Amino acid sequence: MELQYAIIFILVTAVVSFVAGNFLRKKLSGSVITKAESSAERILEDARRESETILKEATLQAKDAVYQAKAEFERESKDKRRDLQSLERRIQQKEENLDKKVLIFDQRDAEFFKKEQNFNAREQALGQKEENLAQMIAEERQTLERISGLTSEEAKKVLMEAFENEAKQDAAKRIKAIEEEARETADKKSKEILSLAIQRYAGEYVAEKTVSVVALPSDEMKGRIIGREGRNIRALEAATGIDLIIDDTPEAVILSGFNPIRREIAKLSLEKLIADGRIHPGRIEEVVAKSTEEVELAIKEAGEQAAFDLGVYGIHPDILKLLGRLKYRTSYSQNVYQHSLEVAFLCGIMAEELGVNVKQAKRAGLLHDLGKAVDHEVEGSHAVIGAELARKYGESPKIVHALMAHHEDEKPATVLAVLVQAADALSGARPGARREMMETYVKRLEDLEKIATSFRGVTNSFAIQAGREIRVMVSSEDVNDERAVVLAKDIAKKIEAEMTYPGQIKVNVIRETRATEYAR
């Protein structure tokens, strides 16, 4: 029984506890909900007040932004309105100017129209007058032809000849007067400068000539040079590019070739082989190689020595080598290397007297025949070739022009070019400086006399002074004094155009009148 009471007690206690707990739970949850609702209402109230504050601030900011935008808009509108008003005023002013111009153009157009009408009227009147004049000229021409017995073409020819002769006489008188005036002032000074240049230059009269003959100790050496079945001479010719001529000339071998450098190499090689005595193909190739090196070194040293002697510096090394090659080049048997040095010295002396740049004058004189170093290999005038080489290696335009103009391939335009011309002529014209073969000499004299006698009025001509002067005898009836001056210039120009000659040629036209009478 006690157990049952205990169980019932426990159940009753549990029920009472459940009911009491449930009641307490409901009471507590109601209190919490009330508090939560109160807190929520308070939060909502705070949020409402805060939102109203934010809304007010946003409204104020928006109003402020609208006000500022409105002020900015009004300011920009005002500026644009002012710009538009200014633009409108300018446009209006331009329209007024255009209206004025249109009015002026209309007035000018009306004036031009009136002038055109006047010109048309004058043109018609002139056309009528020209027709009348042509008719009158034709009538006068017919009358003149009937009176004179000449046609209009014949009369025109007579008048043209008369005018031409008169013009030539006037031109000749003017030329003569100008030449006399220039000669009075320039002749004395130029003679002083040229004579001083010649006196101050102490050059040899006979220039060095390149040798192309090798002397032999005996005629037996010819057989050794030829070798068995000609193998030695073939090897030597192949190695040097020079032909060896072995003939009946006693104790001599002639070297024949257009290239002077190769001819010099062949000469040195042959002299070494003769002195050594060992002559065979292998030895020949070895000696030719050594001789080539020696000649190349001599060429370089000769170019450098020329520049050093003249005090000319800064020349390209390749130009110095070309200058050295001129040591083995001749022109009318005058050594071109010595001739170039001589021209450089003469240019320097004359430049010093004239107050021209002496260094530049010497440089131009030294390089003036540079093209002759390669004219056997390159086609063209040596003056043009030399000028192109100088331009290629950085020489100044004045030097290039002086080289180009020293044989009239280009008209001299500077004092330097004229100096080089004069020095070149002085060096080539000195007695003994150049020699010619007899056939060439005689042919040149014949050509000189032939050119002189080809002009009308020439009765005879004589080449004198070894072809450096030609005296032309003219008829006094066909050629007057003024015409003689023009004739001398025409002959000189034809000689320059058709002949090649060293130095210069003086043309002397002689006119004389002889009166003969007998006393009985």
Side-chain angles (χ1 to χ4, degrees):
M1 280 299 284
E2 289 179 0
L3 179 61
Q4 291 178 349
Y5 285 143
I7 293 169
I8 293 170
F9 179 77
I10 291 168
L11 289 173
V12 171
T13 302
V15 169
V16 172
S17 298
F18 176 75
V19 171
N22 205 14
F23 174 78
L24 289 173
R25 184 179 59 81
K26 287 181 178 181
K27 189 174 182 179
L28 290 173
S29 62
S31 176
V32 170
I33 290 172
T34 302
K35 289 181 181 180
E37 288 177 352
S38 176
S39 177
E41 288 178 358
R42 189 171 55 257
I43 290 170
L44 287 174
E45 184 65 23
D46 293 340
R48 190 180 302 112
R49 285 196 299 270
E50 188 175 355
S51 63
E52 289 176 356
T53 303
I54 293 170
L55 181 61
K56 288 179 181 179
E57 291 178 356
T59 303
L60 290 174
Q61 291 178 355
K63 287 181 179 181
D64 186 45
V66 169
Y67 177 75
Q68 291 180 357
K70 184 178 179 181
E72 182 68 22
F73 175 74
E74 289 178 354
R75 185 169 60 257
E76 290 180 358
S77 299
K78 186 176 180 180
D79 293 341
K80 288 183 178 179
R81 189 161 50 251
R82 185 171 57 253
D83 294 341
L84 288 173
Q85 290 174 354
S86 176
L87 181 61
E88 186 177 358
R89 284 196 299 271
R90 287 200 300 271
I91 292 172
Q92 186 177 0
Q93 187 177 3
K94 287 183 179 180
E95 287 179 352
E96 293 175 357
N97 293 335
L98 286 174
D99 292 338
K100 291 179 181 179
K101 288 182 180 180
V102 168
L103 181 61
I104 293 171
F105 287 149
D106 291 339
Q107 293 175 354
R108 288 184 180 178
D109 193 17
E111 292 176 1
F112 287 151
F113 182 70
K114 291 179 181 179
K115 288 181 180 179
E116 185 178 4
Q117 289 180 339
N118 294 334
F119 286 148
N120 290 333
R122 289 183 181 181
E123 187 177 5
Q124 291 177 359
L126 286 174
Q128 186 64 35
K129 288 181 180 179
E130 286 180 356
E131 292 178 1
N132 297 334
L133 183 60
Q135 186 177 358
M136 292 173 64
I137 290 173
E139 292 175 357
E140 290 295 330
R141 185 182 291 114
Q142 292 176 359
T143 304
L144 287 173
E145 289 178 358
R146 186 174 63 255
I147 294 172
S148 63
L150 295 174
T151 63
S152 59
E153 292 298 328
E154 292 174 345
K156 188 186 294 183
K157 185 176 180 181
V158 171
L159 288 174
M160 289 296 292
E161 288 180 354
F163 287 144
E164 184 179 355
N165 291 332
E166 185 178 356
K168 285 184 177 180
Q169 289 181 0
D170 292 341
K173 289 179 181 178
R174 182 63 178 162
I175 290 171
K176 189 174 181 181
I178 292 173
E179 286 183 348
E180 288 177 356
E181 182 180 356
R183 193 178 293 113
E184 288 177 359
T185 57
D187 190 52
K188 183 177 180 181
K189 184 63 178 177
S190 62
K191 285 182 179 178
E192 289 178 358
I193 293 174
L194 292 177
S195 60
L196 179 64
I198 293 172
Q199 290 172 5
R200 288 178 61 184
Y201 178 70
E204 297 180 358
Y205 269 72
V206 179
E208 181 184 356
K209 184 179 183 300
T210 303
V211 177
S212 57
V213 177
V214 178
L216 302 179
S218 65
D219 286 337
E220 295 178 357
M221 185 62 67
K222 292 181 180 179
R224 298 182 62 186
I225 293 173
I226 295 171
R228 183 179 300 175
E229 299 178 354
R231 65 176 185 174
N232 291 345
I233 192 171
R234 285 198 300 271
L236 189 56
E237 288 178 344
T240 60
I242 296 297
D243 295 331
L244 273 70
I245 301 174
I246 301 177
D247 52 15
D248 296 335
T249 305
E251 298 181 354
V253 174
I254 300 173
L255 306 178
S256 175
F258 289 107
N259 191 316
I261 307 298
R262 291 181 179 178
R263 191 165 59 243
E264 180 66 16
I265 293 172
K267 174 179 173 292
L268 289 176
S269 301
L270 190 56
E271 288 176 347
K272 288 181 179 180
L273 289 170
I274 292 170
D276 184 58
R278 295 176 295 169
I279 304 177
H280 54 81
R283 178 62 177 166
I284 288 172
E285 292 180 0
E286 180 183 348
V287 171
V288 168
K290 290 183 179 179
S291 299
T292 302
E293 292 178 0
E294 291 179 7
V295 170
E296 291 294 335
L297 181 60
I299 287 172
K300 181 181 177 182
E301 290 177 349
E304 293 173 351
Q305 187 64 39
F308 177 78
D309 291 343
L310 292 169
V312 178
Y313 305 104
I315 298 178
H316 196 279
D318 290 342
I319 292 183
L320 292 177
K321 289 181 181 179
L322 293 174
L323 284 174
R325 294 183 67 174
L326 295 178
K327 186 176 181 180
Y328 305 102
R329 173 78 159 81
T330 59
S331 177
Y332 294 98
S333 76
Q334 183 181 23
N335 184 270
V336 180
Y337 178 79
Q338 296 294 336
H339 167 68
S340 298
L341 289 174
E342 185 171 318
V343 170
F345 279 116
L346 292 172
C347 278
I349 294 168
M350 290 190 288
E352 185 178 0
E353 292 298 319
L354 294 172
V356 183
N357 190 323
V358 176
K359 295 285 186 183
Q360 198 172 56
K362 287 184 177 182
R363 193 184 195 97
L366 180 64
L367 302 180
H368 82 285
D369 273 346
L370 184 66
K372 288 186 177 179
V374 294
D375 61 351
H376 290 308
E377 305 166 6
V378 181
E379 293 185 2
S381 166
H382 75 273
V384 177
I385 297 170
E388 292 299 328
L389 288 171
R391 183 183 291 110
K392 176 183 176 182
Y393 291 114
E395 291 295 327
S396 68
K398 288 185 177 180
I399 300 294
V400 174
H401 171 67
L403 269 61
M404 181 77 77
H406 85 278
H407 278 314
E408 297 290 342
D409 292 278
E410 189 174 273
K411 200 68 178 176
T414 61
V415 176
L416 183 62
V418 177
L419 278 180
V420 174
Q421 267 191 339
D424 185 39
L426 279 175
S427 176
R430 289 187 302 106
R434 294 183 175 182
R435 298 189 295 275
E436 295 179 275
M437 295 177 61
M438 179 59 69
E439 294 82 0
T440 307
Y441 171 72
V442 173
K443 180 69 167 56
R444 183 158 63 85
L445 298 185
E446 291 176 351
D447 291 342
L448 269 176
E449 295 178 353
K450 185 178 178 181
I451 289 173
T453 53
S454 65
F455 288 85
R456 185 174 63 86
V458 177
T459 58
N460 212 337
S461 62
F462 304 96
I464 61 175
Q465 296 290 334
R468 301 191 184 278
E469 180 181 352
I470 181 165
R471 292 184 180 176
V472 183
M473 313 299 293
V474 297
S475 171
S476 59
E477 297 177 357
D478 297 332
V479 181
N480 57 22
D481 289 340
E482 289 77 16
R483 171 65 182 158
V485 177
V486 178
L487 180 62
K489 290 185 174 295
D490 292 342
I491 294 174
K493 287 181 180 178
K494 191 169 183 180
I495 291 172
E496 291 174 358
E498 297 183 5
M499 293 185 61
T500 302
Y501 48 89
Q504 59 185 5
I505 298 175
K506 179 181 178 183
V507 179
N508 195 357
V509 176
I510 300 173
R511 176 183 178 271
E512 62 178 0
T513 303
R514 296 185 182 184
T516 306
E517 187 56 65
Y518 295 95
R520 294 181 178 85

